Amino acid sequence: MKRIILLIAFCLSLSVIYAQTIDVIHLKSGFDARGTITNRTESQITLQTENGRVLTIDMSDIDSMEQEQKAFDPRALIGRWACYKANGERDARYDMEIIENEGFYTVSYKTMLNYVSYDNCLLGFPSQTPNNTIDADKDIEVEDGKVSYYFYQVEWCKMNADSKRRQSINLIQYSCDIDLRYIDGKLKGSIDILNYYHALGCEGYGSVTSSLNDGCGTVFSDGPGGKRNVYFVRY
């Protein structure tokens, strides 16, 4: 007999989003029941269907059972994500938010971090909080739980002028490729820093560039920054 597939209305739930496999029960009547087996005895099986219904099925009514890989639902990626290095150290520079609208997905992140200091121009996370930030948005393609995008960020810290010293500026800018995959409720992957530029302008100049053009200032780094493993969790 040709099997008739029992159509079950789809209702989005967290259990459905995060499930990686789905249980398929082939009934002797020719119907198929699909969902997640929540309890099993010698005589009965309890199945939670994809729309949240709970079915109790007698073992005597079952022809066969199998598991199939569930297609990834990209809506599992929607939300705010905090970045951590592989060793567990927090790195808020790469925090992001994934947004969905009409089936299109966008990643939002901080593209500029501005600091103002009267004491020093040290840059770093998470000990310092920027005075101002500027956001950037990028359209991304989401396929089979994979997320990839190009990331560019600028950090700069301006030393305010006071009676003892004049203004100086510390600048860091870097570009990188971020490749992630959704695994067990987290986004895991790597950040490949294509270029990392760090320079310090002399006191009295309005920008690092003008300071360097005059032969004053220091370039600490200008080149590839290496590849590091990272993971993202929701916050």
Side-chain angles (χ1 to χ4, degrees), residues 4 34 52 77 93 95 104 122 137 143 165 196 211:
I4 301 172
R34 302 165 63 87
L77 301 175
R93 290 173 296 182
D95 286 1
F104 297 103
L122 297 177
D137 296 304
E143 183 178 355
R165 66 179 74 194
Y196 183 87
S211 174

Side-chain angles (χ1 to χ4, degrees), residues 133-154:
T133 61
I134 297 177
D135 294 336
D137 296 304
K138 277 186 179 299
D139 292 338
I140 56 174
E141 295 291 334
V142 177
E143 183 178 355
D144 193 28
K146 297 178 182 179
V147 179
S148 300
Y149 58 96
Y150 174 80
F151 183 101
Y152 178 77
Q153 189 173 80
V154 176

Side-chain angles (χ1 to χ4, degrees), residues 161-198:
D162 57 24
S163 59
K164 296 181 180 180
R165 66 179 74 194
R166 296 178 296 169
Q167 174 180 293
S168 62
I169 298 177
N170 192 349
L171 172 70
I172 294 177
Q173 56 188 18
Y174 42 90
S175 60
C176 53
D177 286 331
I178 297 181
D179 292 301
L180 307 168
R181 182 158 190 166
Y182 186 84
I183 302 174
D184 297 330
K186 297 182 177 69
L187 284 168
K188 300 180 181 180
S190 64
I191 294 177
D192 187 4
I193 302 176
L194 308 176
N195 190 73
Y196 183 87
Y197 179 80
H198 183 193

Side-chain angles (χ1 to χ4, degrees), residues 17 35 49 65 75 136-137 151 175 196 209:
I17 288 177
T49 66
M65 296 185 295
R75 285 172 289 187
D137 296 304
F151 183 101
S175 60
Y196 183 87
T209 301

Side-chain angles (χ1 to χ4, degrees), residues 28-101:
K28 292 178 180 178
S29 63
F31 289 96
D32 288 347
R34 302 165 63 87
T36 302
I37 295 175
T38 58
N39 189 48
R40 181 173 181 171
T41 67
E42 291 184 359
S43 59
Q44 289 183 328
I45 281 181
T46 302
L47 181 80
Q48 182 177 0
T49 66
E50 291 179 298
N51 68 346
R53 293 178 58 198
V54 177
L55 302 178
T56 300
I57 303 172
D58 291 335
M59 292 294 292
S60 59
D61 294 330
I62 296 174
D63 181 29
S64 63
M65 296 185 295
E66 62 179 326
Q67 279 193 330
E68 66 180 34
Q69 193 72 24
K70 181 175 176 61
F72 179 78
D73 190 331
R75 285 172 289 187
L77 301 175
I78 298 172
R80 300 170 65 194
W81 296 88
C83 180
Y84 290 83
K85 298 178 182 179
N87 62 4
E89 181 183 349
R90 183 83 163 86
D91 195 342
R93 290 173 296 182
Y94 301 99
D95 286 1
M96 64 171 175
E97 182 176 10
I98 296 178
I99 303 165
E100 182 270 341
N101 183 50

